[in-house]
Amino acid sequence: MNRAVPSTSLRQPNCTCQGSRVFILKDHLPKDRYDDIVKRRAEEYRKHHIRTSSSLNRLVFAPSNSPLQYPIQGFTVVPLQKTLIPGLALHAAKRQSYKVTLSVSSGVLAIMALGEGDKEGQVEKEITVQSTSLSDLNNLLGRITYTSTVYRMRTGDLAHFTFEHHEAVFPIVIQQTSMPVLYDIGNDINYRVTVVTKTFLRYTELQVLISSIRTYYKDIKIIIADDSLEPQKVNGPNIEQYIMPPAQGWFAGRNLAVSQVTTKYFLWVDDDFLFTDKTKIENLVEVMEATPELDVVGGSVAGHGQFYFSLVYEEGNGEDGGCLNRKGAVKYQPVPGFPTCSFTSGVVNLFLGRTDAVRKVGFDPRLKRVAHSEFFVDGLGSLLVASCSHVSIDHQPKIENAKYSSFRHQQSKDVEDKLAHHFFKNHLKCIHYG
């Protein structure tokens, strides 16, 4: 029989991280809890696969020279809702009789009635249609409906369609319809972008930042997440300051600030940045509006240059985990229409984010001080990122702040905790920083 067989025998090989800065993550786990952590990670990974796997992930090979016609892409049904299967037909030479069979596993099939007096065919997981007339058979195939019997937000089914020694397999996407979320961007930058920052014990730098923003954007909204030990009121028009419990950390503050954005985009800046005449928010908006697939566009920070990096993830095997390679200064290809912008995996702390897309990824509040790349690690595969050299911001001169430094420089423990967190959360075996 000429079959289109779903391949289930492809196993992910083990992976390795190579280079001088490689971290084997299991070596950073607490020794007294090592076995328990590994066991719990394995169970969580099993549940992750149940949640994310689908029959549509299976590799399917199309049959050659098949007389069967069927949908190969784009057939989507709402869970539990009856839907006609489009495009089913048989193209065969003259025979005394024609017989085809259609079967599914996550739904049921029926032949839809033509008129009020007709009865719908019996609901089955497998249905056979036979006729001495090819035209009549194709008319019946055009009335076959599919109804899923599972309720999920997104899953799928594989339909097997056979005639004599020919068999084809085609996908059925089972997906709940989602509604669009649209933002009215108005006629000026104040309706399009909110400036967002996080501050901790650096009110002098924060006030300099705000003053520089107001030099170029006098009415734009500024949102501040503040987890200082003794918060001070930040005054000024169109400023929203959200006070957090003390020392909750950078990513917790990012989450809070972004959660309050009501514009389509937000511009993330550090609290010790300085706007200049090259900090043109409109230029980043132009890139995003012209490239609707983009989710994050970064600029450059004076004194640090245009910082961007690539992330390459290998899934590895289910027991040891995957491998992540992070490499600096890697661009993939130019953004169409913008020669100073290129697609990449992650960017510097000056970036314009699409609000709804960034919220879906979020910032892991477990990471307090040693974090930035980790947001782009979590967004790998869902966020499209670019870096542009024609928009930049300055960095303020460093001010000695002993209390701030005492928190900021607790890095050795933070790094250890972060690596152990990657081991479990991201199911990683190793990370290479290049």
Side-chain angles (χ1 to χ4, degrees):
M1 178 180 282
N2 181 9
R3 293 180 178 271
V5 182
S7 174
T8 58
S9 61
L10 298 179
R11 174 182 170 83
Q12 288 288 347
N14 205 347
C15 62
T16 58
C17 295
Q18 298 180 345
S20 57
R21 295 186 64 208
V22 173
F23 294 89
I24 305 302
L25 301 186
K26 67 179 182 179
D27 297 341
H28 299 270
L29 300 178
K31 304 303 180 189
D32 58 336
R33 295 192 290 129
Y34 179 88
D35 290 340
D36 184 51
I37 291 173
V38 170
K39 181 179 178 180
R40 285 187 286 111
R41 185 182 81 149
E43 176 61 13
E44 283 299 303
Y45 188 63
R46 183 185 71 83
K47 292 176 181 177
H48 165 79
H49 264 289
I50 292 174
R51 178 178 172 81
T52 60
S53 64
S54 165
S55 58
L56 302 187
N57 298 131
R58 298 165 69 184
L59 187 62
V60 177
F61 300 100
S64 59
N65 302 318
S66 174
L68 296 166
Q69 177 182 300
Y70 50 92
I72 62 171
Q73 180 177 298
F75 180 41
T76 301
V77 302
V78 175
L80 311 182
Q81 183 172 304
K82 184 189 301 181
T83 309
L84 275 172
I85 302 177
L88 290 182
L90 177 67
H91 302 280
K94 178 73 174 173
R95 286 167 170 75
Q96 288 187 339
S97 179
Y98 305 88
K99 183 172 75 171
V100 297
T101 299
L102 186 68
S103 64
V104 294
S105 58
S106 298
V108 290
L109 303 164
I111 297 179
M112 186 174 66
L114 276 177
E116 293 184 4
D118 294 331
K119 293 183 178 180
E120 182 169 279
Q122 192 171 356
V123 174
E124 301 284 355
K125 286 191 173 296
E126 180 174 299
I127 193 167
T128 298
V129 180
Q130 186 170 3
S131 176
T132 57
S133 166
L134 182 59
S135 176
D136 289 347
L137 181 133
N138 283 331
N139 284 336
L140 290 170
L141 289 178
R143 291 159 47 197
I144 292 181
T145 64
Y146 173 87
T147 307
S148 75
T149 54
V150 296
Y151 187 84
R152 300 288 188 276
M153 289 298 100
R154 180 178 172 84
T155 184
D157 201 345
L158 291 176
H160 292 253
F161 190 26
T162 62
F163 168 69
E164 295 178 348
H165 62 283
H166 301 281
E167 180 179 8
V169 180
F170 63 88
I172 302 173
V173 177
I174 304 169
Q175 181 174 327
Q176 183 58 264
T177 305
S178 57
M179 296 177 64
V181 177
L182 307 179
Y183 289 83
D184 183 355
I185 62 174
N187 298 315
D188 63 62
I189 196 67
N190 301 315
Y191 288 95
R192 301 180 179 189
V193 179
T194 303
V195 178
V196 175
T197 192
K198 154 75 175 59
T199 196
F200 176 71
L201 303 178
R202 295 206 295 194
Y203 289 108
T204 299
E205 291 91 335
L206 178 63
Q207 291 294 350
V208 172
L209 168 67
I210 293 172
S211 178
S212 73
I213 294 172
R214 289 295 179 236
T215 300
Y216 300 97
Y217 299 97
K218 65 183 182 65
D219 296 319
I220 200 167
K221 181 185 286 187
I222 302 171
I223 292 180
I224 303 162
D226 186 351
D227 65 345
S228 299
L229 305 181
E230 298 177 357
Q232 300 175 19
K233 175 64 177 175
V234 179
N235 296 310
N238 220 10
I239 292 177
E240 295 179 2
Q241 180 186 17
Y242 293 91
I243 305 301
M244 306 168 60
Q248 288 300 296
W250 195 24
F251 268 21
R254 277 189 170 188
N255 269 335
L256 172 57
V258 174
S259 75
Q260 300 306 303
V261 173
T262 59
T263 51
K264 184 176 182 179
Y265 304 113
F266 68 90
L267 183 76
W268 176 265
V269 293
D270 285 351
D271 59 356
D272 61 348
F273 282 175
L274 187 72
F275 273 55
T276 73
D277 57 1
K278 294 183 179 179
T279 314
K280 298 288 189 183
I281 303 176
E282 293 89 345
N283 291 347
L284 294 178
V285 172
E286 180 186 14
V287 177
M288 291 279 259
E289 285 292 299
T291 318
E293 304 95 330
L294 268 175
D295 300 300
V296 173
V297 178
S300 63
V301 180
H304 299 274
Q306 187 184 3
F307 177 73
Y308 48 86
F309 55 90
S310 69
L311 294 168
V312 177
Y313 170 64
E314 297 177 75
E315 189 174 355
N317 64 39
E319 182 177 349
D320 293 333
C323 302
L324 180 67
N325 286 276
R326 177 188 177 280
K327 189 174 182 180
V330 174
K331 297 183 286 188
Y332 298 129
Q333 57 184 214
V335 176
F338 297 92
T340 61
C341 303
S342 297
F343 294 114
T344 187
S345 297
V347 294
V348 74
N349 284 345
L350 169 68
F351 65 84
L352 189 75
R354 191 177 299 274
T355 302
D356 56 353
V358 171
R359 280 178 182 157
K360 288 178 182 178
V361 175
F363 303 92
D364 187 345
R366 282 278 300 269
L367 304 171
K368 293 182 178 293
R369 287 170 289 269
V370 183
H372 178 63
S373 302
E374 288 68 27
F375 163 66
F376 295 100
V377 169
D378 288 345
L380 187 63
S382 60
L383 294 179
L384 184 62
V385 181
S387 178
C388 297
S389 62
H390 67 295
V391 178
S392 66
I393 200 167
D394 271 357
H395 208 285
Q396 298 175 34
K398 186 175 181 180
I399 300 175
E400 291 300 324
N401 186 330
K403 183 173 287 189
Y404 174 83
S405 298
S406 68
F407 281 88
R408 177 68 185 270
H409 296 146
Q410 298 174 13
Q411 292 197 357
S412 58
K413 183 179 186 304
D414 287 343
V415 170
E416 287 295 297
D417 290 346
K418 182 181 77 170
L419 294 172
H421 190 46
H422 277 309
F423 173 83
F424 197 113
K425 173 189 171 183
N426 302 118
H427 199 254
L428 286 175
K429 169 186 175 183
C430 59
I431 300 178
H432 170 231
Y433 295 96

